[in-house]
Amino acid sequence: MAIIPEDLYKRRHFGTPQSVSLIVTNYIIVVIAVQVFAMANPIHWLFWVVIGLLAIYNFFQMRKNREDLDRKNLIVYAVSIVLLLVVFFLLRLKVTS
């Protein structure tokens, strides 16, 4: 008969960290905005409005969850922004060629 460890049900799950939710939201919004507004050769002005609103959303979310943002999470967030720029240029590569 298998014995279940006592602490199995005492483990806590803290859910998805806010920084991960913010990063996923950024990628979803930017990919959709690029596909809808930035696939023409001159980028539509609504794309920049969406990016601006996303930046404001990021600012307030980071300010609201300031206690969760330690050095590691800030580095991950910064790297995700750089990779988001790479995704933007890769998606735009189809338009220029």
Side-chain angles (χ1 to χ4, degrees):
M1 183 169 160
I3 298 178
I4 299 174
E6 282 184 29
D7 62 341
L8 179 68
Y9 296 107
K10 293 180 183 177
R11 294 181 188 158
R12 296 181 70 191
H13 178 67
F14 295 105
T16 305
Q18 288 296 327
S19 60
V20 173
S21 298
L22 186 62
I23 291 168
V24 170
T25 302
N26 286 343
Y27 275 89
I28 291 171
I29 297 298
V30 168
V31 167
I32 291 172
V34 167
Q35 293 295 323
V36 173
F37 298 119
M39 292 310 281
N41 203 0
I43 297 175
H44 198 275
W45 62 271
L46 279 175
F47 174 76
W48 301 113
V49 171
V50 169
I51 296 300
L53 291 173
L54 186 62
I56 292 169
Y57 173 76
N58 279 309
F59 174 75
F60 284 112
Q61 284 297 315
M62 290 178 76
R63 210 168 141 205
K64 183 175 90 172
N65 301 314
R66 189 176 299 176
E67 65 276 353
D68 295 337
L69 294 174
D70 56 353
R71 183 175 169 91
K72 178 190 69 145
N73 286 339
L74 286 176
I75 291 171
V76 169
Y77 179 76
V79 168
S80 76
I81 295 297
V82 170
L83 291 176
L84 196 58
L85 289 170
V86 170
V87 167
F88 169 75
F89 285 115
L90 287 176
L91 288 173
R92 286 279 301 162
L93 196 66
K94 289 193 297 186
V95 174
T96 60
S97 59

XYZ file of all heavy atoms in Angstrom:
802
model
N 0.843 -1.177 0.000
C 0.000 0.000 0.000
C 0.887 1.238 0.000
O 1.808 1.365 0.791
C -0.875 -0.034 1.252
C -1.832 1.073 1.332
S -2.971 0.675 2.662
C -3.574 2.253 2.988
N 0.618 2.151 -0.934
C 1.430 3.374 -1.064
C 1.019 4.378 0.005
O -0.163 4.589 0.261
C 1.245 3.974 -2.435
N 2.006 4.943 0.606
C 1.747 5.955 1.630
C 1.961 7.330 0.996
O 2.994 7.601 0.413
C 2.686 5.763 2.836
C 2.419 4.404 3.460
C 2.502 6.891 3.815
C 3.312 4.083 4.633
N 0.965 8.171 1.156
C 1.046 9.530 0.602
C 1.744 10.413 1.632
O 1.392 10.404 2.814
C -0.365 10.068 0.306
C -1.043 9.176 -0.730
C -0.310 11.509 -0.162
C -2.480 9.534 -0.995
N 2.744 11.183 1.195
C 3.428 12.070 2.141
C 2.458 13.087 2.736
O 1.547 13.572 2.063
C 4.492 12.773 1.302
C 4.463 12.147 -0.035
C 3.283 11.266 -0.138
N 2.672 13.383 4.023
C 1.774 14.298 4.725
C 1.770 15.699 4.128
O 0.744 16.356 4.081
C 2.178 14.402 6.198
C 1.741 13.244 7.023
C 2.091 13.466 8.477
O 2.141 14.626 8.912
O 2.312 12.467 9.160
N 2.938 16.164 3.684
C 3.024 17.543 3.217
C 2.545 17.716 1.774
O 2.599 18.810 1.233
C 4.440 18.067 3.355
C 5.438 17.294 2.513
O 5.117 16.163 2.111
O 6.528 17.835 2.268
N 2.033 16.659 1.155
C 1.568 16.748 -0.224
C 0.433 17.751 -0.354
O 0.417 18.575 -1.268
C 1.106 15.380 -0.724
C 0.570 15.356 -2.149
C 1.707 15.633 -3.123
C -0.072 14.039 -2.451
N -0.498 17.744 0.548
C -1.643 18.637 0.458
C -1.395 19.977 1.141
O -2.223 20.868 1.067
C -2.886 17.971 1.037
C -3.281 16.759 0.237
C -3.073 15.479 0.734
C -3.821 16.901 -1.020
C -3.424 14.378 -0.014
C -4.161 15.791 -1.779
C -3.961 14.532 -1.262
O -4.295 13.442 -2.005
N -0.255 20.142 1.768
C 0.078 21.410 2.401
C 0.850 22.334 1.466
O 1.054 23.489 1.775
C 0.913 21.169 3.661
C 0.144 20.474 4.748
C 1.008 20.278 5.951
C 0.252 19.511 7.018
N 1.087 19.235 8.184
N 1.296 21.816 0.325
C 2.018 22.652 -0.631
C 1.082 23.708 -1.194
O -0.080 23.454 -1.461
C 2.582 21.807 -1.774
C 3.635 20.860 -1.320
C 4.172 20.083 -2.488
N 5.064 19.032 -1.998
C 5.376 17.951 -2.660
N 4.879 17.744 -3.859
N 6.177 17.057 -2.144
N 1.636 24.883 -1.353
C 0.822 25.986 -1.851
C 1.195 26.292 -3.286
O 2.348 26.258 -3.659
C 1.045 27.226 -0.994
C 0.589 27.007 0.442
C 0.791 28.219 1.246
N -0.158 29.238 0.809
C -0.094 30.488 1.185
N 0.854 30.899 1.981
N -0.975 31.362 0.750
N 0.181 26.609 -4.054
C 0.401 27.051 -5.427
C 0.043 28.529 -5.468
O -1.067 28.922 -5.142
C -0.469 26.250 -6.390
C -0.328 26.694 -7.802
N 0.830 26.536 -8.518
C -1.194 27.301 -8.633
C 0.678 27.028 -9.718
N -0.551 27.501 -9.815
N 0.986 29.345 -5.878
C 0.785 30.784 -5.851
C 0.229 31.334 -7.162
O 0.059 32.517 -7.318
C 2.098 31.488 -5.510
C 2.563 31.173 -4.122
C 3.615 30.303 -3.920
C 1.925 31.718 -3.030
C 4.033 30.005 -2.637
C 2.335 31.427 -1.747
C 3.394 30.566 -1.550
N -0.020 30.482 -8.126
C -0.578 30.945 -9.383
C 0.480 31.522 -10.298
O 1.671 31.504 -10.028
N 0.027 32.072 -11.396
C 0.926 32.670 -12.375
C 1.380 34.033 -11.861
O 0.548 34.859 -11.491
C 0.183 32.848 -13.712
O -0.341 31.590 -14.098
C 1.115 33.368 -14.774
N 2.686 34.271 -11.853
C 3.162 35.594 -11.422
C 2.644 36.695 -12.356
O 2.427 36.466 -13.547
C 4.684 35.486 -11.514
C 4.990 34.042 -11.602
C 3.780 33.371 -12.158
N 2.456 37.872 -11.805
C 1.944 38.986 -12.587
C 2.869 39.357 -13.738
O 2.414 39.769 -14.799
C 1.715 40.204 -11.687
C 0.546 40.057 -10.765
C -0.756 39.936 -11.520
O -0.934 40.517 -12.581
N -1.672 39.147 -10.989
N 4.187 39.193 -13.535
C 5.124 39.540 -14.608
C 4.943 38.615 -15.807
O 5.033 39.058 -16.948
C 6.562 39.490 -14.096
O 6.880 38.193 -13.631
N 4.659 37.347 -15.575
C 4.432 36.407 -16.679
C 3.136 36.763 -17.405
O 3.084 36.756 -18.645
C 4.404 34.952 -16.169
C 3.995 33.994 -17.266
C 5.745 34.568 -15.597
N 2.101 37.099 -16.668
C 0.839 37.506 -17.292
C 1.027 38.767 -18.125
O 0.467 38.882 -19.221
C -0.219 37.762 -16.225
O -0.483 36.596 -15.509
N 1.828 39.700 -17.638
C 2.090 40.934 -18.360
C 2.861 40.660 -19.645
O 2.538 41.215 -20.706
C 2.869 41.898 -17.466
C 3.120 43.294 -18.005
C 1.798 44.012 -18.238
C 3.987 44.072 -17.038
N 3.841 39.788 -19.586
C 4.634 39.441 -20.770
C 3.767 38.747 -21.817
O 3.819 39.081 -23.008
C 5.847 38.583 -20.373
C 6.843 39.417 -19.573
C 6.510 37.969 -21.597
C 7.931 38.610 -18.900
N 2.940 37.810 -21.385
C 2.054 37.105 -22.320
C 1.067 38.084 -22.951
O 0.826 38.045 -24.171
C 1.323 35.941 -21.608
C 0.227 35.365 -22.474
C 2.317 34.871 -21.207
N 0.523 38.992 -22.161
C -0.395 40.001 -22.686
C 0.302 40.867 -23.727
O -0.265 41.159 -24.785
C -0.926 40.882 -21.537
O -1.571 40.049 -20.580
C -1.893 41.926 -22.052
N 1.539 41.276 -23.440
C 2.294 42.092 -24.392
C 2.459 41.382 -25.725
O 2.243 41.974 -26.784
C 3.678 42.439 -23.832
C 3.618 43.474 -22.743
O 2.628 44.168 -22.593
N 4.677 43.568 -21.978
N 2.844 40.118 -25.683
C 3.062 39.378 -26.920
C 1.770 39.205 -27.706
O 1.755 39.364 -28.927
C 3.706 38.013 -26.637
C 5.202 38.119 -26.538
C 5.813 38.397 -25.326
C 5.997 37.975 -27.658
C 7.188 38.510 -25.233
C 7.373 38.080 -27.575
C 7.966 38.356 -26.360
O 9.315 38.476 -26.279
N 0.688 38.899 -27.028
C -0.588 38.705 -27.726
C -1.031 40.004 -28.394
O -1.388 40.016 -29.579
C -1.662 38.182 -26.749
C -1.334 36.751 -26.332
C -3.051 38.269 -27.377
C -2.210 36.224 -25.216
N -0.990 41.109 -27.660
C -1.436 42.396 -28.198
C -0.552 42.844 -29.357
O -1.039 43.293 -30.394
C -1.461 43.468 -27.086
C -2.468 43.095 -26.000
C -1.768 44.849 -27.668
C -3.891 43.006 -26.449
N 0.777 42.716 -29.207
C 1.678 43.182 -30.266
C 1.539 42.327 -31.520
O 1.500 42.868 -32.634
C 3.135 43.227 -29.762
C 4.110 43.415 -30.911
C 3.301 44.333 -28.750
N 1.445 41.030 -31.388
C 1.309 40.171 -32.578
C 0.000 40.472 -33.306
O -0.015 40.584 -34.543
C 1.414 38.678 -32.195
C 0.960 37.787 -33.322
C 2.840 38.340 -31.783
N -1.080 40.643 -32.569
C -2.361 40.977 -33.213
C -2.286 42.357 -33.856
O -2.742 42.550 -34.992
C -3.519 40.883 -32.200
C -3.752 39.428 -31.814
C -4.791 41.497 -32.766
C -4.731 39.230 -30.688
N -1.700 43.326 -33.162
C -1.595 44.688 -33.711
C -0.728 44.713 -34.965
O -1.046 45.420 -35.928
C -1.036 45.637 -32.660
N 0.347 43.954 -34.981
C 1.196 43.903 -36.173
C 0.426 43.291 -37.329
O 0.464 43.801 -38.459
C 2.504 43.115 -35.892
C 3.222 42.789 -37.181
C 3.417 43.898 -34.969
N -0.283 42.213 -37.082
C -1.023 41.554 -38.151
C -2.146 42.439 -38.703
O -2.419 42.419 -39.892
C -1.610 40.224 -37.660
C -0.581 39.190 -37.348
C 0.198 38.757 -38.576
O -0.345 38.644 -39.658
N 1.476 38.526 -38.402
N -2.774 43.223 -37.852
C -3.917 44.024 -38.291
C -3.474 45.374 -38.863
O -3.966 45.806 -39.908
C -4.912 44.234 -37.123
C -6.019 45.194 -37.508
C -5.499 42.902 -36.694
N -2.540 46.073 -38.185
C -2.236 47.455 -38.545
C -0.879 47.665 -39.202
O -0.659 48.712 -39.802
C -2.297 48.352 -37.305
C -3.649 48.391 -36.661
C -3.823 47.965 -35.369
C -4.761 48.843 -37.357
C -5.067 48.003 -34.760
C -6.004 48.877 -36.770
C -6.159 48.456 -35.466
N 0.055 46.748 -39.060
C 1.414 47.030 -39.513
C 1.855 46.184 -40.689
O 3.038 46.138 -41.004
C 2.394 46.863 -38.357
N 0.949 45.520 -41.357
C 1.359 44.690 -42.480
C 1.358 45.449 -43.807
O 1.742 44.917 -44.826
C 0.472 43.450 -42.574
C 0.681 42.487 -41.417
S 2.394 42.075 -41.089
C 2.698 40.880 -42.353
N 0.946 46.686 -43.795
C 1.059 47.529 -44.984
C 2.430 48.204 -44.959
O 3.074 48.292 -43.904
C -0.040 48.573 -44.987
N 2.875 48.672 -46.122
C 4.217 49.250 -46.157
C 4.333 50.498 -45.295
O 5.224 50.575 -44.475
C 4.655 49.522 -47.594
C 6.156 49.585 -47.704
O 6.863 49.420 -46.719
N 6.633 49.821 -48.900
N 3.465 51.489 -45.397
C 3.500 52.484 -44.312
C 2.669 51.936 -43.145
O 1.522 51.518 -43.331
C 2.859 53.724 -44.918
C 1.997 53.220 -46.016
C 2.628 51.934 -46.502
N 3.233 51.923 -41.977
C 2.523 51.392 -40.804
C 1.364 52.325 -40.465
O 1.530 53.541 -40.401
C 3.485 51.247 -39.614
C 4.576 50.230 -39.955
C 2.738 50.831 -38.359
C 5.643 50.095 -38.898
N 0.203 51.742 -40.261
C -0.994 52.522 -39.948
C -0.831 53.200 -38.591
O -0.243 52.644 -37.664
C -2.217 51.588 -39.943
C -3.510 52.307 -40.047
N -4.155 52.830 -38.967
C -4.282 52.603 -41.120
C -5.274 53.405 -39.353
N -5.368 53.273 -40.672
N -1.375 54.405 -38.464
C -1.210 55.169 -37.234
C -1.880 54.498 -36.037
O -1.472 54.706 -34.886
C -1.724 56.599 -37.403
C -3.185 56.691 -37.717
C -3.769 56.676 -38.942
C -4.249 56.804 -36.768
N -5.126 56.765 -38.833
C -5.447 56.858 -37.499
C -4.311 56.872 -35.380
C -6.694 56.963 -36.891
C -5.544 56.986 -34.771
C -6.722 57.026 -35.524
N -2.890 53.669 -36.245
C -3.544 52.987 -35.124
C -2.612 51.988 -34.436
O -2.774 51.702 -33.250
C -4.803 52.269 -35.599
C -6.033 53.140 -35.743
C -7.180 52.353 -36.341
C -6.425 53.748 -34.431
N -1.621 51.485 -35.167
C -0.632 50.599 -34.556
C 0.100 51.324 -33.433
O 0.297 50.778 -32.344
C 0.358 50.096 -35.610
C 1.484 49.293 -35.021
C 1.275 47.993 -34.605
C 2.744 49.843 -34.869
C 2.305 47.250 -34.049
C 3.782 49.113 -34.324
C 3.560 47.815 -33.916
N 0.491 52.570 -33.696
C 1.222 53.333 -32.683
C 0.326 53.692 -31.503
O 0.798 53.767 -30.360
C 1.855 54.568 -33.305
C 2.791 54.190 -34.408
C 2.634 54.439 -35.727
C 4.010 53.434 -34.269
N 3.683 53.902 -36.428
C 4.539 53.280 -35.567
C 4.695 52.875 -33.197
C 5.729 52.593 -35.810
C 5.878 52.192 -33.445
C 6.381 52.051 -34.735
N -0.961 53.878 -31.758
C -1.905 54.125 -30.662
C -2.002 52.886 -29.778
O -1.973 52.985 -28.538
C -3.293 54.529 -31.227
C -4.340 54.578 -30.126
C -3.201 55.854 -31.956
N -2.100 51.712 -30.401
C -2.178 50.458 -29.643
C -0.906 50.261 -28.817
O -0.971 49.897 -27.634
C -2.422 49.259 -30.587
C -2.243 47.942 -29.866
C -3.802 49.347 -31.202
N 0.255 50.514 -29.408
C 1.524 50.355 -28.688
C 1.612 51.348 -27.536
O 2.079 51.014 -26.439
C 2.718 50.501 -29.659
C 2.685 49.372 -30.696
C 4.039 50.514 -28.917
C 2.771 47.984 -30.112
N 1.156 52.570 -27.751
C 1.148 53.564 -26.680
C 0.238 53.164 -25.528
O 0.601 53.300 -24.354
N -0.956 52.673 -25.857
C -1.880 52.210 -24.812
C -1.309 51.009 -24.067
O -1.478 50.887 -22.842
C -3.238 51.874 -25.412
C -4.048 53.063 -25.929
C -5.294 52.577 -26.658
C -4.400 53.994 -24.792
N -0.612 50.142 -24.797
C 0.028 48.994 -24.154
C 1.141 49.447 -23.209
O 1.301 48.887 -22.120
C 0.573 48.036 -25.217
C 1.152 46.719 -24.718
C 0.076 45.896 -24.018
C 1.748 45.944 -25.872
N 1.885 50.460 -23.596
C 2.941 50.999 -22.723
C 2.347 51.595 -21.448
O 2.885 51.394 -20.351
C 3.763 52.044 -23.470
N 1.232 52.306 -21.586
C 0.557 52.866 -20.406
C 0.051 51.742 -19.509
O 0.202 51.801 -18.278
C -0.592 53.792 -20.843
C -0.020 55.039 -21.522
C -1.481 54.178 -19.662
C -1.062 55.891 -22.213
N -0.539 50.703 -20.102
C -1.003 49.548 -19.340
C 0.151 48.888 -18.588
O 0.026 48.542 -17.413
C -1.681 48.548 -20.287
C -2.054 47.250 -19.635
C -3.149 47.164 -18.792
C -1.304 46.089 -19.854
C -3.496 45.964 -18.188
C -1.640 44.898 -19.263
C -2.735 44.836 -18.427
O -3.068 43.655 -17.824
N 1.303 48.718 -19.275
C 2.473 48.131 -18.637
C 2.941 48.970 -17.456
O 3.278 48.438 -16.394
C 3.627 47.972 -19.638
C 3.469 46.756 -20.488
O 3.257 45.669 -19.999
N 3.558 46.947 -21.791
N 2.977 50.279 -17.645
C 3.413 51.176 -16.573
C 2.549 51.017 -15.333
O 3.060 50.856 -14.220
C 3.389 52.626 -17.065
C 3.683 53.621 -16.002
C 4.978 53.805 -15.540
C 2.661 54.366 -15.432
C 5.251 54.718 -14.544
C 2.923 55.286 -14.437
C 4.219 55.469 -13.985
N 1.243 51.041 -15.517
C 0.351 50.951 -14.360
C 0.349 49.546 -13.739
O 0.231 49.416 -12.516
C -1.066 51.390 -14.730
C -1.190 52.876 -14.841
C -1.420 53.479 -16.065
C -1.047 53.686 -13.731
C -1.520 54.847 -16.169
C -1.141 55.064 -13.817
C -1.376 55.647 -15.041
N 0.480 48.506 -14.550
C 0.550 47.156 -13.992
C 1.832 46.955 -13.181
O 1.809 46.330 -12.124
C 0.470 46.113 -15.107
C -0.911 45.926 -15.669
C -1.880 45.417 -14.623
O -1.587 44.507 -13.865
N -3.050 46.019 -14.572
N 2.933 47.483 -13.688
C 4.188 47.346 -12.942
C 4.151 48.171 -11.662
O 4.691 47.762 -10.636
C 5.365 47.753 -13.827
C 5.613 46.755 -14.944
S 6.931 47.232 -16.027
C 8.336 46.826 -14.998
N 3.503 49.315 -11.728
C 3.375 50.145 -10.531
C 2.458 49.496 -9.494
O 2.723 49.551 -8.288
C 2.810 51.501 -10.945
C 3.262 52.599 -10.077
C 2.914 53.913 -10.685
N 2.505 54.749 -9.566
C 1.718 55.759 -9.648
N 1.230 56.116 -10.804
N 1.401 56.443 -8.594
N 1.398 48.847 -9.974
C 0.453 48.185 -9.070
C 1.091 46.967 -8.391
O 0.833 46.694 -7.232
C -0.794 47.757 -9.844
C -1.866 47.137 -8.981
C -3.100 46.868 -9.790
C -3.005 45.485 -10.371
N -4.245 45.047 -11.029
N 1.939 46.246 -9.127
C 2.556 45.026 -8.614
C 4.026 45.245 -8.282
O 4.858 44.390 -8.539
C 2.404 43.900 -9.641
C 0.965 43.635 -9.949
O 0.141 43.534 -9.059
N 0.632 43.553 -11.220
N 4.335 46.377 -7.726
C 5.718 46.743 -7.439
C 6.390 45.756 -6.482
O 7.577 45.466 -6.599
C 5.769 48.143 -6.846
C 7.154 48.695 -6.709
C 7.131 50.105 -6.209
N 6.399 50.934 -7.170
C 6.133 52.196 -6.983
N 6.509 52.798 -5.874
N 5.479 52.890 -7.880
N 5.645 45.191 -5.544
C 6.241 44.274 -4.568
C 6.666 42.948 -5.203
O 7.540 42.262 -4.689
C 5.297 44.021 -3.400
C 4.014 43.300 -3.759
C 2.916 44.203 -4.287
O 3.081 45.432 -4.267
O 1.890 43.667 -4.726
N 6.061 42.583 -6.335
C 6.421 41.340 -7.019
C 7.621 41.498 -7.943
O 8.169 40.514 -8.418
C 5.246 40.824 -7.841
C 4.075 40.426 -6.969
O 4.304 40.125 -5.778
O 2.934 40.436 -7.468
N 8.002 42.737 -8.228
C 9.064 42.984 -9.202
C 10.416 43.061 -8.506
O 10.829 44.111 -8.035
C 8.788 44.274 -9.976
C 7.558 44.242 -10.863
C 7.299 45.605 -11.447
C 7.727 43.220 -11.950
N 11.078 41.938 -8.465
C 12.444 41.937 -7.946
C 13.397 42.013 -9.137
O 12.978 42.200 -10.275
C 12.706 40.692 -7.090
C 12.422 39.393 -7.838
O 11.896 39.456 -8.956
O 12.729 38.322 -7.289
N 14.672 41.915 -8.875
C 15.686 42.069 -9.922
C 15.515 41.027 -11.029
O 15.603 41.351 -12.211
C 17.073 41.969 -9.288
C 18.194 42.179 -10.252
C 19.525 42.193 -9.499
N 20.636 42.144 -10.388
C 21.242 43.204 -10.887
N 20.817 44.398 -10.559
N 22.272 43.069 -11.699
N 15.247 39.801 -10.651
C 15.089 38.718 -11.635
C 13.911 38.987 -12.562
O 14.020 38.853 -13.784
C 14.907 37.385 -10.916
C 14.697 36.207 -11.850
C 14.288 34.980 -11.083
C 12.919 35.198 -10.542
N 12.015 34.112 -10.444
N 12.778 39.385 -12.010
C 11.591 39.651 -12.828
C 11.803 40.846 -13.743
O 11.308 40.856 -14.868
C 10.375 39.875 -11.950
C 9.859 38.591 -11.352
O 10.140 37.512 -11.857
N 9.117 38.695 -10.274
N 12.522 41.862 -13.283
C 12.794 43.013 -14.137
C 13.702 42.646 -15.308
O 13.515 43.130 -16.422
C 13.411 44.149 -13.321
C 12.444 44.894 -12.413
C 13.183 45.925 -11.577
C 11.352 45.558 -13.221
N 14.686 41.780 -15.051
C 15.568 41.332 -16.131
C 14.776 40.525 -17.152
O 14.923 40.717 -18.364
C 16.762 40.542 -15.565
C 17.684 41.476 -14.799
C 17.519 39.820 -16.673
C 18.776 40.779 -14.017
N 13.918 39.632 -16.684
C 13.092 38.827 -17.586
C 12.170 39.731 -18.397
O 11.989 39.540 -19.606
C 12.288 37.766 -16.799
C 11.237 37.117 -17.657
C 13.227 36.735 -16.218
N 11.599 40.736 -17.763
C 10.721 41.676 -18.459
C 11.491 42.448 -19.532
O 11.015 42.605 -20.661
C 10.079 42.633 -17.460
C 9.186 43.657 -18.103
C 7.922 43.306 -18.562
C 9.615 44.969 -18.275
C 7.102 44.238 -19.160
C 8.804 45.905 -18.880
C 7.553 45.534 -19.326
O 6.750 46.450 -19.939
N 12.684 42.919 -19.199
C 13.499 43.665 -20.165
C 13.887 42.785 -21.352
O 13.828 43.230 -22.511
C 14.741 44.224 -19.480
N 14.266 41.549 -21.090
C 14.604 40.626 -22.176
C 13.378 40.354 -23.037
O 13.475 40.274 -24.270
C 15.205 39.317 -21.612
C 15.301 38.236 -22.666
C 16.562 39.594 -20.988
N 12.210 40.247 -22.426
C 10.994 39.995 -23.205
C 10.663 41.175 -24.112
O 10.172 40.976 -25.227
C 9.819 39.686 -22.285
O 9.322 40.861 -21.683
N 10.945 42.394 -23.668
C 10.709 43.571 -24.507
C 11.652 43.558 -25.712
O 11.247 43.847 -26.843
C 10.861 44.869 -23.691
C 9.774 44.954 -22.614
C 10.818 46.099 -24.591
C 8.371 45.019 -23.147
N 12.913 43.195 -25.484
C 13.872 43.103 -26.592
C 13.427 42.028 -27.581
O 13.449 42.242 -28.803
C 15.297 42.831 -26.057
C 16.252 42.498 -27.180
C 15.799 44.015 -25.254
N 13.003 40.883 -27.071
C 12.520 39.817 -27.956
C 11.228 40.212 -28.668
O 10.968 39.772 -29.789
C 12.327 38.525 -27.176
C 13.616 37.872 -26.686
C 13.295 36.653 -25.830
C 14.510 37.489 -27.842
N 10.431 41.061 -28.030
C 9.215 41.553 -28.674
C 9.563 42.423 -29.879
O 8.891 42.359 -30.911
C 8.392 42.340 -27.661
C 6.948 42.621 -27.979
C 6.193 41.328 -28.202
C 6.327 43.391 -26.854
N 10.624 43.208 -29.769
C 11.096 43.989 -30.912
C 11.568 43.079 -32.041
O 11.325 43.354 -33.221
C 12.224 44.928 -30.484
C 11.806 46.108 -29.620
C 13.026 46.823 -29.071
C 10.933 47.052 -30.404
N 12.236 41.986 -31.682
C 12.678 41.018 -32.693
C 11.467 40.402 -33.392
O 11.458 40.271 -34.627
C 13.569 39.925 -32.052
C 13.843 38.795 -33.022
C 14.856 40.531 -31.527
N 10.439 40.055 -32.637
C 9.215 39.498 -33.225
C 8.582 40.519 -34.173
O 8.145 40.172 -35.280
C 8.214 39.082 -32.120
C 6.836 38.809 -32.690
C 8.727 37.879 -31.373
N 8.551 41.781 -33.777
C 7.999 42.830 -34.631
C 8.744 42.893 -35.963
O 8.131 42.898 -37.034
C 8.063 44.185 -33.920
C 7.749 45.350 -34.816
C 6.450 45.607 -35.206
C 8.759 46.179 -35.282
C 6.163 46.678 -36.030
C 8.482 47.245 -36.106
C 7.176 47.499 -36.483
N 10.074 42.924 -35.909
C 10.848 43.021 -37.141
C 10.744 41.747 -37.988
O 10.732 41.827 -39.216
C 12.306 43.356 -36.839
C 12.493 44.798 -36.443
C 12.921 45.125 -35.174
C 12.207 45.818 -37.333
C 13.079 46.450 -34.808
C 12.359 47.148 -36.971
C 12.791 47.471 -35.710
N 10.638 40.594 -37.356
C 10.466 39.367 -38.119
C 9.113 39.309 -38.818
O 9.010 38.861 -39.965
C 10.636 38.137 -37.217
C 12.055 37.828 -36.787
C 12.058 36.651 -35.818
C 12.935 37.519 -37.974
N 8.071 39.788 -38.147
C 6.757 39.821 -38.777
C 6.708 40.862 -39.896
O 6.045 40.668 -40.917
C 5.657 40.104 -37.748
C 5.357 38.957 -36.792
C 4.378 39.423 -35.714
C 4.801 37.768 -37.524
N 7.414 41.968 -39.724
C 7.451 43.017 -40.744
C 8.336 42.638 -41.921
O 8.259 43.254 -42.981
C 7.961 44.324 -40.144
C 6.994 45.035 -39.258
C 6.003 45.840 -39.987
N 6.686 46.847 -40.793
C 6.110 47.475 -41.794
N 4.895 47.225 -42.117
N 6.779 48.374 -42.494
N 9.176 41.643 -41.757
C 10.088 41.231 -42.820
C 9.319 40.758 -44.054
O 9.761 40.976 -45.182
C 10.996 40.097 -42.303
C 12.235 39.786 -43.098
C 13.180 40.983 -43.034
C 12.932 38.582 -42.503
N 8.137 40.190 -43.843
C 7.303 39.749 -44.963
C 6.853 40.928 -45.817
O 6.718 40.805 -47.020
C 6.080 38.994 -44.452
C 6.380 37.644 -43.876
C 5.125 36.838 -43.677
C 4.197 37.484 -42.680
N 3.036 36.653 -42.352
N 6.625 42.066 -45.199
C 6.100 43.225 -45.912
C 7.176 43.847 -46.794
O 6.902 44.232 -47.934
C 5.576 44.286 -44.908
C 5.163 45.551 -45.619
C 4.424 43.711 -44.131
N 8.397 43.931 -46.292
C 9.469 44.594 -47.037
C 10.002 43.752 -48.179
O 10.620 44.264 -49.087
C 10.617 44.990 -46.104
O 11.135 43.811 -45.474
C 10.143 45.987 -45.077
N 9.812 42.442 -48.124
C 10.358 41.607 -49.196
C 9.360 41.324 -50.284
O 8.254 41.651 -50.293
C 10.862 40.293 -48.632
O 9.841 39.573 -47.982
